[in-house]
Amino acid sequence: MKRLMKYLSDYKKESILAPLFKLLEAFFELLVPLVVANIIDRGIPGEDMGYIGKMGLCLLALAVVGLVSSITAQFFAAKAAVGFSTKLRQALFDHIQGLNFTNIDRVGSSTMITRMTSDINQVQSGVNMVLRLFLRSPIIVFGAMIMAFTIDVKCALIFVVAIPLLAIVVFGIMMWTMPLYKKVQAGLDRVLGITRENLTGVRVIRAFHKEAEEEEKFNAATKALADSQTFVGKISAVMNPVTYVIVNGAIIALIYTGALQVDAGNLTRGEVVAVINYMSQILVELVKLANLIITITKALACADRVAGVFEIRNDEASGLAGKTEAEQGIAGEKEALETGLPGSGKAQKAHGGGVPFLQFDHVSLTYAAAGAETLHDMNFVVNRGETVGIIGGTGSGKSSFVNLIPGFYPATEGAVLLEGQDIREMPEEALRSRIGVVPQKAVLFKGTIRSNLQWGKPDATEEEMWQAVETAQAREVVEGKKGGLDAPVAQNGKNFSGGQRQRLTIARALVRRPEILILDDSASALDYATDAKLRAALKSYGGSTTVFIVSQRASSIRHADKIIVLDDGELAGIGTHDELLKSCGVYQEIYYSQYSDERPKTVKTQEGGR
């Protein structure tokens, strides 16, 4: 929790005033039993209605001042708690936005959502309750004990015994329940994960008639969550009855001791009532404190989970983690001299005296907690302005391959070099500003077509946007919507078809006129005619843009300057269409499975004899 307190720094005034006004309320509340005692001892025996009335007005004044103090304290506490949670949630969101894909995959999106919503709400409640009650309750408890000592020492000794017993119960249960609440929140993560998965895949679940199985899976997760909540709730529920038993036992002892003192003439009836009132105040405050402790326990458990996200750093997954910039530079120079990477004399000699635009230098990729490499020993060069096709079977590593270029995942071995510089050493913003990415799943954001295109370039002109739309074969999509570029886009682009979403996401990437354009199977929902028009438009889009096209269709990449064939994470072949048809068995298998009419008779004969 201490690590998160810096987000409360802008609310120092409110954090001080809220407890102070609560202390003022507590001070006036401690005076009430003394006023009541005076009414009993002086007003009632003498039937002095004037005195009783005056003391009654005094009680009313104490009540009004206490109410105003309480409302003021709650206002400042709420302002500080809500402001704190707003800053914390924004900081957590910003931090998550900065995490690379490896760390997001490791933690899980459902857990991230829980920590940003439910966990921060619990922390907000904890801050609010602490500012309102954490000082008030102890002041009432110890203040009541001190006031009891001013009335009678023998009666006050009962307080000395009761308060430590209550403290043992309250704090003992707190220490017991704190780790259990962490388990409850982890169970909530699991329920949220299943819910999110079901909502995302609801069409698939219904198509395969798996509703009953998913309901059973959800019920099992919710039952486990309910059981853990019930268990920790039972432990927390013990607090109230135990505290009531201790306090009521103390009240019984007070009545007995007070009666003896009254008989002996050492105490008045009003003073006995005052002492009992102080014990009742202690009971009420300890019940409040018990509930506060439960809230704080939950808040602390949730605060640890939120702080755990802040502790995740991208450099944990990088080979350069823990090194200073100078050390990174020295290490890079040493590696260049030893291996002949671009930038060294040996590398320049190898590449004809120049540095290649993009180079994969013996790159391998292993996902976090994965048992084997996803990509192994990718080693080749791409020149500026080339169109590179990437093809391979399902699960061959095509998307993983292109995700290395913008640094979504760091290479676990080797290096991806852009104009001779390791992309891990480049500022993220500088790298991403040179790359346009169209992901496999077309994602549009709620707003307008214009606002979605401006993701690619915030200051894009009308002409630039229409040019990108034209190249992406999306003009008819935009012109067919009322409002054109200002036509509304629903959340996730649900008011567009799959093919329309793909063309608009391609236009979004083209608006920025990137040096590198990555199309990750982004034309899969397009018909062959539109796909052909798109490829022709991209060919004339600009000779300086290096285009990577990931596709399952051989027709989409057959005219590329260079085709990379992947097979189970390995580089099965690299070359032009004609070269690969002659030399690469994997490419032959993919191509002829789609164009069986072009299959040579010798190949057919060989397959027939197998």
Side-chain angles (χ1 to χ4, degrees), residues 37 61 171 340 407 524 539-540 561 563:
F171 288 100
S524 58
K539 197 75 175 176
S540 59
D561 301 311
I563 299 173

Side-chain angles (χ1 to χ4, degrees), residues 215-282:
E215 284 180 13
E216 185 178 345
K217 183 180 176 182
F218 180 80
N219 288 337
T222 51
K223 185 178 184 303
L225 176 61
D227 289 344
S228 60
Q229 286 179 318
T230 302
F231 180 67
V232 70
K234 287 178 180 179
I235 297 172
S236 299
V238 172
M239 189 178 295
N240 280 0
V242 172
T243 52
Y244 271 103
V245 167
I246 295 172
V247 171
N248 284 316
I251 289 175
I252 292 170
L254 280 175
I255 293 172
Y256 177 75
T257 305
L260 294 178
Q261 293 288 82
V262 170
D263 284 342
N266 296 327
L267 279 178
T268 64
R269 287 169 293 181
E271 288 173 334
V272 173
V273 170
V275 171
I276 293 173
N277 280 341
Y278 281 128
M279 182 58 75
S280 298
Q281 283 184 349
I282 290 175

Side-chain angles (χ1 to χ4, degrees), residues 534-569:
L534 173 63
R535 283 185 279 110
L538 288 174
K539 197 75 175 176
S540 59
Y541 174 69
S544 63
T545 300
T546 304
V547 182
F548 287 85
I549 302 175
V550 177
S551 182
Q552 301 277 7
R553 299 175 181 173
S555 61
S556 298
I557 51 95
R558 66 181 296 175
H559 299 295
D561 301 311
K562 188 178 292 178
I563 299 173
I564 296 172
V565 185
L566 298 179
D567 182 33
D568 197 21

Side-chain angles (χ1 to χ4, degrees), residues 183-363:
K183 292 183 179 179
V184 168
Q185 290 301 116
L188 184 61
D189 286 345
R190 287 191 289 273
V191 171
L192 182 61
I194 294 171
T195 305
R196 185 172 178 272
E197 188 178 52
N198 274 261
L199 290 174
T200 304
V202 62
R203 295 176 186 272
V204 178
I205 292 169
R206 291 180 180 177
F208 287 89
H209 196 54
K210 294 289 185 179
E211 294 93 336
E213 291 181 20
E214 290 301 318
E215 284 180 13
E216 185 178 345
K217 183 180 176 182
F218 180 80
N219 288 337
T222 51
K223 185 178 184 303
L225 176 61
D227 289 344
S228 60
Q229 286 179 318
T230 302
F231 180 67
V232 70
K234 287 178 180 179
I235 297 172
S236 299
V238 172
M239 189 178 295
N240 280 0
V242 172
T243 52
Y244 271 103
V245 167
I246 295 172
V247 171
N248 284 316
I251 289 175
I252 292 170
L254 280 175
I255 293 172
Y256 177 75
T257 305
L260 294 178
Q261 293 288 82
V262 170
D263 284 342
N266 296 327
L267 279 178
T268 64
R269 287 169 293 181
E271 288 173 334
V272 173
V273 170
V275 171
I276 293 173
N277 280 341
Y278 281 128
M279 182 58 75
S280 298
Q281 283 184 349
I282 290 175
L283 171 62
V284 171
E285 291 306 319
L286 284 172
V287 170
K288 288 181 182 178
L289 186 61
N291 293 325
L292 172 63
I293 293 297
I294 293 172
T295 302
I296 290 175
T297 302
K298 291 179 181 178
L300 289 174
C302 293
D304 284 342
R305 286 162 49 84
V306 173
V309 178
F310 283 112
E311 291 174 357
I312 300 171
R313 292 287 180 267
N314 286 335
D315 56 9
E316 292 173 3
S318 171
L320 302 174
K323 296 182 181 179
T324 64
E325 291 183 7
E327 289 171 335
Q328 290 175 10
I330 292 169
E333 290 176 12
K334 183 178 179 182
E335 186 179 357
L337 289 171
E338 290 176 351
T339 61
L341 298 184
S344 69
K346 189 185 293 184
Q348 290 178 357
K349 184 178 179 180
H351 295 288
V355 176
F357 178 62
L358 183 67
Q359 180 182 7
F360 274 62
D361 183 65
H362 298 284
V363 172

